[in-house]
Amino acid sequence: MAETAYDPGNIFAKILRGEIPSHRVYEDDAVVAFMDVMPQGPGHTLVLPKAPSRNLLDADPATLGPLFAIVQKVALAVKKAFDADGVTIIQFNEPASGQTVYHLHVHVIPRFDGIPLKPHTGQMERPEVLVENAGKIRTALSN
Ligand code: 5GP
């Protein structure tokens, strides 16, 4: 299959440019993390490189080290913030895999013994819940 170009009109590119709002929990020169609006569990966070790529397949390898260092940092923070038993890390590439937004991102989802994940891109969470959960994660990241 021919490669598809990066589309700067994708929703995460708009969030990165500040054109639409998000509940950010982390930002540095290279990486941003914010709450998923249709969480598969409480505290579901997305971690993105600022550098544009559709997904892992066309990413500059130089972006991956800094990205995954923050994935680890956020994973530790959500585990602490929600007193989780574990953390699931998911990353989709192209529609066949389940990818729905075409700017590379990594899902970081706190997990609890015996509780399954909710469906991918299921139900929108209430904004006040996202605000509260983002606050818990920011606190855990700063301690
Ligand atoms: P993908 O299938 O591309 O890995 O997942 C994209 C994720 O982005 C989904 O989990 C979905 O709930 C989330 N999402 C979709 N639109 C928005 C949005 O406008 N804002 C935020 N914060 N998350 C979104």
Side-chain angles (χ1 to χ4, degrees):
M1 194 183 89
E3 276 183 33
T4 309
Y6 179 81
D7 173 10
N10 76 75
I11 197 100
F12 291 169
K14 290 180 182 173
I15 288 175
L16 288 171
R17 290 194 295 267
E19 293 168 9
I20 62 170
S22 66
H23 300 89
R24 291 192 191 205
V25 297
Y26 178 87
E27 179 164 11
D28 64 25
D29 288 348
V31 179
V32 169
F34 52 77
M35 307 310 294
D36 194 306
V37 288
M38 291 172 268
Q40 292 185 252
H44 182 166
T45 305
L46 302 169
V47 185
L48 293 66
K50 290 183 177 175
S53 72
R54 269 176 74 80
N55 52 45
L56 187 74
L57 305 177
D58 63 331
D60 179 346
T63 64
L64 302 179
L67 173 66
F68 275 84
I70 303 307
V71 168
Q72 182 192 39
K73 196 178 174 78
V74 171
L76 289 164
V78 299
K79 187 169 184 297
K80 185 172 166 187
F82 295 90
D83 196 21
D85 301 308
V87 182
T88 291
I89 306 295
I90 308 175
Q91 193 277 313
F92 299 103
N93 299 283
E94 299 299 327
S97 74
Q99 186 177 8
T100 58
V101 179
Y102 298 96
H103 180 109
L104 173 59
H105 55 278
V106 179
H107 298 257
V108 178
I109 314 173
R111 299 301 303 274
F112 304 90
D113 290 336
I115 300 181
L117 284 181
K118 291 185 193 163
H120 180 54
T121 62
Q123 206 178 339
M124 289 284 282
E125 185 53 276
R126 285 176 294 138
E128 58 268 31
V129 173
L130 295 177
V131 167
E132 187 184 342
N133 288 346
K136 287 183 186 171
I137 297 169
R138 277 189 221 107
T139 299
L141 280 167
S142 64
N143 289 328

